[in-house]
Amino acid sequence: MENSVNNQEINTEETYEIIGVRFKEVGKIYYFDPNGLTFRAGEAAIVETSRGVEYGNVLVGNKRVSGEEVVLPLKKVIRKATEEDKKKLRENEETAEKAKSVFREKCRDHKLDMALVDVEMTFDNSKLLFYFTSEGRVDFREFVKDLASVFKTRIELRQIGVRDEAKQLGGLGICGRAFCCKTFLSDFDQVSIKMAKEQGLSLNAAKISGTCGRLMCCLRYENDVYEEEIKKTPKVGAIVMTPSGKGLVVDSNPLAGLIKVSLDAAKDSPPTQFIREDVKVIGNKKSAETEAKETITE
């Protein structure tokens, strides 16, 4: 459904009139040339996409953007959606809903291990798409032929991952709120265990994984802030000069901008807390130990 990419060099100084259209409740926004029409957010449009003619909801009304902000060339809007178009959309949704029971019946007949997640009928009725999950790869060639003989249209089966399944089905996260992917996340960003580590969270997979079994998407929300604050904060093991003398950083709180230092002059006392801007890093424990060993060897 994505707009095709033009290999020619984009003139970033030139501006283009666009509208933003979304095809799923919480999906990506795609940009189209309004083709001389004026749209407001909340209206609907009939557009040409890579998978055929589609009905979409306008999220961004007419505006001009630079060539850097869009993928060129832009496909043109065909027309504003009419009441007839809305009626056809509802009929397609009903067809897709009925197709679910047929899919499951045929799946049992062919003894295939496939769990149906969702069904879509393209607006122009040129294709019926079935989204499913499976533990492994599935040979569904004969299965597709069987479905095509029933629906008399092109059939496409798409195997999706557990994150996409969660986005399609929805549910409640461990926070008690509806899944982020179902309510407002239009796309999935990469999430890593390093993010949890930098935020001082438990590295127990069960505690930092969502219902889908993958690392929680919300680990990324504050990650940029943590990364920025960590860069400014002396690391544990750093040798620093403080207003109270030299010492070793034994703990840090990057978000608060605080560090705890074991002072050389008071090693038997509890670590002293300082604001990170009040200390200066002059070395680290490992390099100091290495220098000491080299001195002994010499």
Side-chain angles (χ1 to χ4, degrees):
M1 200 176 286
E2 296 180 22
N3 301 323
S4 58
V5 180
N6 188 350
N7 292 325
Q8 297 178 357
E9 188 174 342
I10 296 173
N11 183 353
T12 55
E13 295 182 0
E14 188 175 352
T15 61
Y16 302 85
E17 187 176 16
I18 60 96
I19 63 168
V21 178
R22 179 180 280 169
F23 300 97
K24 291 188 177 182
E25 185 180 352
V26 186
K28 290 182 182 179
I29 295 177
Y30 297 90
Y31 297 110
F32 293 85
D33 178 345
N35 199 18
L37 299 172
T38 302
F39 289 88
R40 292 176 299 177
E43 293 185 317
I46 305 301
V47 297
E48 177 70 39
T49 72
S50 58
R51 73 178 199 182
V53 177
E54 288 287 7
Y55 179 108
N57 294 304
V58 177
L59 270 290
V60 180
N62 295 57
K63 73 172 186 176
R64 299 199 73 87
V65 297
S66 68
E68 289 181 320
E69 297 178 66
V70 293
V71 179
L72 300 174
L74 292 168
K75 290 183 182 291
K76 293 182 182 292
V77 169
I78 297 174
R79 64 175 184 275
K80 285 193 173 187
T82 64
E83 287 301 318
E84 281 298 311
D85 292 326
K86 293 177 183 178
K87 180 181 177 183
K88 185 177 181 182
L89 178 67
R90 289 192 293 270
E91 290 173 351
N92 286 351
E93 289 173 347
E94 290 172 3
T95 298
E97 191 63 32
K98 292 175 182 176
K100 292 180 180 180
S101 59
V102 176
F103 178 96
R104 294 188 177 101
E105 180 185 338
K106 296 294 181 183
C107 199
R108 287 192 295 270
D109 293 344
H110 288 265
K111 298 180 180 178
L112 294 175
D113 183 19
M114 301 161 69
L116 181 64
V117 177
D118 198 14
V119 182
E120 283 182 27
M121 170 68 86
T122 57
F123 184 74
D124 57 5
N125 301 125
S126 63
K127 189 188 297 182
L128 194 56
L129 299 99
F130 295 87
Y131 298 89
F132 72 94
T133 59
S134 179
E135 292 296 327
R137 295 185 64 181
V138 181
D139 183 358
F140 46 65
R141 286 171 293 186
E142 293 303 317
F143 179 56
V144 168
K145 291 178 185 178
D146 202 356
L147 288 175
S149 67
V150 174
F151 297 107
K152 309 298 181 186
T153 189
R154 185 179 172 190
I155 302 294
E156 187 171 318
L157 269 63
R158 292 186 181 179
Q159 185 170 355
I160 62 175
V162 288
R163 295 179 85 189
D164 292 296
E165 181 183 17
K167 184 179 179 68
Q168 296 268 23
L169 299 177
L172 297 178
I174 58 173
C175 60
R177 303 185 66 176
F179 292 164
C180 296
C181 58
K182 183 66 175 177
T183 51
F184 66 88
L185 284 183
S186 60
D187 201 5
F188 292 113
D189 287 323
Q190 185 177 359
V191 183
S192 68
I193 197 74
K194 179 186 174 185
M195 295 177 184
K197 188 175 182 181
E198 289 184 340
Q199 293 172 38
L201 300 175
S202 167
L203 298 185
N204 183 330
K207 293 183 178 180
I208 57 175
S209 295
T211 308
C212 63
R214 299 290 186 266
L215 293 175
M216 292 187 293
C217 295
C218 54
L219 291 177
R220 172 165 283 281
Y221 297 168
E222 299 174 357
N223 187 63
D224 291 344
V225 175
Y226 272 93
E227 285 186 344
E228 190 62 32
E229 295 303 316
I230 287 171
K231 287 177 184 177
K232 301 176 187 175
T233 309
K235 294 180 173 59
V236 172
I239 298 172
V240 295
M241 182 58 71
T242 77
S244 302
K246 191 169 75 169
L248 182 72
V249 178
V250 294
D251 193 18
S252 69
N253 186 337
L255 287 190
L258 302 173
I259 61 171
K260 288 185 179 180
V261 179
S262 175
L263 297 169
D264 289 357
K267 289 191 174 180
D268 294 332
S269 301
T272 305
Q273 184 168 277
F274 295 93
I275 298 172
R276 67 184 173 207
E277 285 77 15
D278 293 342
V279 306
K280 181 181 179 181
V281 178
I282 57 176
N284 62 71
K285 186 178 180 182
K286 287 185 178 178
S287 60
E289 290 175 348
T290 301
E291 287 179 10
K293 287 181 181 178
E294 289 177 349
T295 303
I296 293 171
T297 303
E298 290 173 2

